Amino acid sequence: MASGPPSGAKKEQWGTRVGLVLAVAGNAVGLGNFLRFPAQAAQNGGGAFLVPYLISFVLMGLPLLWVEWAIGRHGGQYGHHSSPGMFARLGRARWLKYVGVFGLFTNLTVAAYYCYIESWTLAYVWHSLRGTFEATPPTTFFPEYLGTTNSDIAAIPYEAAGFFLATLTLNVWLLSRGLVRGVELAAKIGMPLLLGFGAVLAIKGLLLGTGDPGVVESPLVGLNFVWEPQASGLFNPSTWLAAAGQIFFTLSVGMGSIHCYAAYLRERDDIALNATTAGTVNEFVEVILGGSILIPIATAYLGLAAVQAATAGGSGFGLGFLTLPTLFNQWGWFGPIAGAMWFGLLFFAGITSSLAMGQPVLAFLQDEFKVKREKAALGFGLATLLLGGLVVVLYPGGTFDEFDFWTGTFSLIVFALAEVLIFGWIFGIDRGWAELNKGADLRLPSFYKYVIKYVTPLFILVVLFGALVKPSVGWSEAASQLMSTGAGRSRSTACSASCSTSARPAATSTRAARSRRCSSRT
Ligand code: PHE
């Protein structure tokens, strides 16, 4: 593994600070902000979700961001831009670099299914512009597109595979152009467009009135539901799990991807302010923009109760890919444009995130095996194609959910716990704190030194434990069942043993169905 003292060797660096912040914000702002957040919020009591969510951001999200930026910039000074090499630099033990391998594994495997969803958004831009959804309802179109209507489980859905290939090619091409001409460029174009499209859709949606055709409720009812904080969520462990899970996913922490971007900084470049800004931009986009499109528009046409029912599973796919395109048909000539804007926004959100999953893999091949950038990009593309191919072909068989849980949820939490412990206890919190504050343009409150050392690891441990033993019926129901009949316990134990797939903070619809199957079985 390449090591050695900090070298003055010529290496890639970010072009501008604006470019850097946009790229890191683009990394974090993804499909999670516009689909997963609103669905998770709607499913977990709207404003009741917001309070644990914001607390998780402050006690877990922000500290993890700082830790990851610090590990990344530190590793970068030794020529490491992917986590195995960086982790080897945090202490003497040989096993440290193997912890870092998590940061490659997750990126590669998450990329496989993430790029697939990203490719759906591209297909939907095309079909929105063509007016496909005026003639064919998305509820008919989507299963056919995915090949879920085909009884032969290994049949290839050609259109979906074609869009997947096109999306991957674009990712590989951008990655092969290098940090500034690829990643930074995509963020500089994609982020402003995404914000613009989002603003147009939010304004158009929020201006819907009950006099407009098809509107049954004011969109503000939906907005209020998501935004009005309610203390009740504080006492519900399931809400905490969902909120913490969303913070992980949306900030892209526990992936090795933030580390990689930070590794392209110079030794005295600020990290405290950059990390805080990128995290805050992500939260702004998630809560403000993400909260004002999907739920308010759907509420206006369907009513709040139906919207909540439609978000069962918490992925937002149903509302985003099935419901919204139908509702845009009510908007006359603007309908196809609105559809293209919605899916275009999702596409830009997606691609700036998938590039962030590819870059660490590229960097690993470049740093440790001296592979040329273009070849490394191709390597990432091929690996994603192989893994993603499985998801495309076997989607109806539930491969997608398996990927999502093990790579998109479970390993993120394990990796984050390991890194915060290594940073606070092996690298040492004093050194760590000094590293974080080196060249800082923002003074971090000193109590965070203790938060990073004690509170964040404990917080993650509780989340991990909760995610593993969460009963299928939900904690509060299980507790009340337990108290009233004593039945909750046996049921939850039986379920977590026989059907661990139900124990996930980030349930998608198939998974929820599986967990329902499980609860009926036990
Ligand atoms: N944060 C991204 C989202 O919200 C997902 C992501 C995870 C991106 C990990 C990069 C790395 O969709």
Side-chain angles (χ1 to χ4, degrees), residues 27-33 107 114 249-252 255 257 353 356-357:
N27 173 343
V29 172
L31 301 166
N33 296 54
N107 277 302
Y114 201 88
F249 194 83
T250 188
L251 291 177
S252 316
M255 292 276 301
S257 151
S353 294
M357 298 171 196

Side-chain angles (χ1 to χ4, degrees), residues 312-313 315 395-398 400-401 507-517:
S315 71
Y395 180 84
F400 183 89
D401 288 339
T508 58
S509 48
T510 332
R511 215 180 302 131
R514 209 157 36 207
S515 116
R516 274 196 299 278
R517 279 205 301 277

